[in-house]
Amino acid sequence: MFNTKWTSDLVIGIEDVDQCHKYVVKKINEAYDGFVTGTPPEDYLLDEILVYMSQCFDYEQMLMMDTCYPDFLAHRDEHELFRQRMIDVRTSRNAGGSLNINRLVILDHWVSRHIRECDTKLGAFVGELSASEARRQSA
């Protein structure tokens, strides 16, 4: 399925990360809508999405290090693999390729899966840490 919608199953419970994810999903949908209406999005939109995602990755990785997140290495490696794929997309675009529906589908699926499978675990871990800290402070 394409065209991820922002729904409650994408909320991980970390406000800054959720806002970033919501923005990325919105921009992916804007690009998709452009293809559907016959006015493909400008290439800068892909750059905007990728810059925003990179900033979100950096924030998540700082958070994972600060909280000693046990799956840090696997999560970071997934971010890095995605960054490399996007560098490859940019390189092919600079060689005459452009943002197309196939690249957008790949981006959409990756974002949706990553949030639901990886970031949800991070959100649960951080939420449990916060709850434990609150219980300790109230005791």
Side-chain angles (χ1 to χ4, degrees), residues 62-123:
M62 280 186 355
L63 182 62
M64 287 186 276
M65 287 187 292
D66 288 347
T67 61
C68 298
Y69 183 59
D71 291 332
F72 169 73
L73 293 176
H75 198 130
R76 183 207 58 204
D77 289 350
E78 186 161 319
H79 287 169
E80 294 311 312
L81 178 63
F82 184 77
R83 286 184 215 244
Q84 187 56 52
R85 283 187 190 149
M86 291 302 101
I87 288 169
D88 294 344
V89 166
R90 278 189 178 152
T91 301
S92 71
R93 192 179 76 206
N94 291 339
S98 63
L99 177 60
N100 62 44
I101 196 72
N102 293 330
R103 289 185 179 135
L104 198 57
V105 167
I106 291 167
L107 178 61
D108 179 69
H109 285 287
W110 190 90
V111 167
S112 176
R113 184 198 57 75
H114 181 77
I115 293 171
R116 286 183 174 104
E117 293 177 12
C118 294
D119 291 337
T120 297
K121 291 176 187 175
L122 174 61

Side-chain angles (χ1 to χ4, degrees), residues 6-133:
W6 186 256
T7 56
S8 61
D9 67 321
L10 293 175
V11 174
I12 69 165
I14 302 170
E15 184 63 29
D16 291 339
V17 176
D18 285 333
Q19 289 305 312
C20 179
H21 291 162
K22 189 174 188 176
Y23 182 81
V24 167
V25 167
K26 175 184 172 195
K27 290 299 178 181
I28 290 171
N29 285 328
E30 285 178 19
Y32 175 78
D33 291 345
F35 282 113
V36 169
T37 62
T39 53
E42 299 291 328
D43 282 342
Y44 76 84
L45 186 57
L46 178 61
D47 292 334
E48 184 178 344
I49 292 168
L50 299 180
V51 165
Y52 219 82
M53 286 179 69
S54 186
Q55 291 170 348
C56 190
F57 289 169
D58 292 344
Y59 177 78
E60 286 178 20
Q61 288 171 198
M62 280 186 355
L63 182 62
M64 287 186 276
M65 287 187 292
D66 288 347
T67 61
C68 298
Y69 183 59
D71 291 332
F72 169 73
L73 293 176
H75 198 130
R76 183 207 58 204
D77 289 350
E78 186 161 319
H79 287 169
E80 294 311 312
L81 178 63
F82 184 77
R83 286 184 215 244
Q84 187 56 52
R85 283 187 190 149
M86 291 302 101
I87 288 169
D88 294 344
V89 166
R90 278 189 178 152
T91 301
S92 71
R93 192 179 76 206
N94 291 339
S98 63
L99 177 60
N100 62 44
I101 196 72
N102 293 330
R103 289 185 179 135
L104 198 57
V105 167
I106 291 167
L107 178 61
D108 179 69
H109 285 287
W110 190 90
V111 167
S112 176
R113 184 198 57 75
H114 181 77
I115 293 171
R116 286 183 174 104
E117 293 177 12
C118 294
D119 291 337
T120 297
K121 291 176 187 175
L122 174 61
F125 179 81
V126 170
E128 180 55 38
L129 263 178
S130 297
S132 293
E133 182 63 28

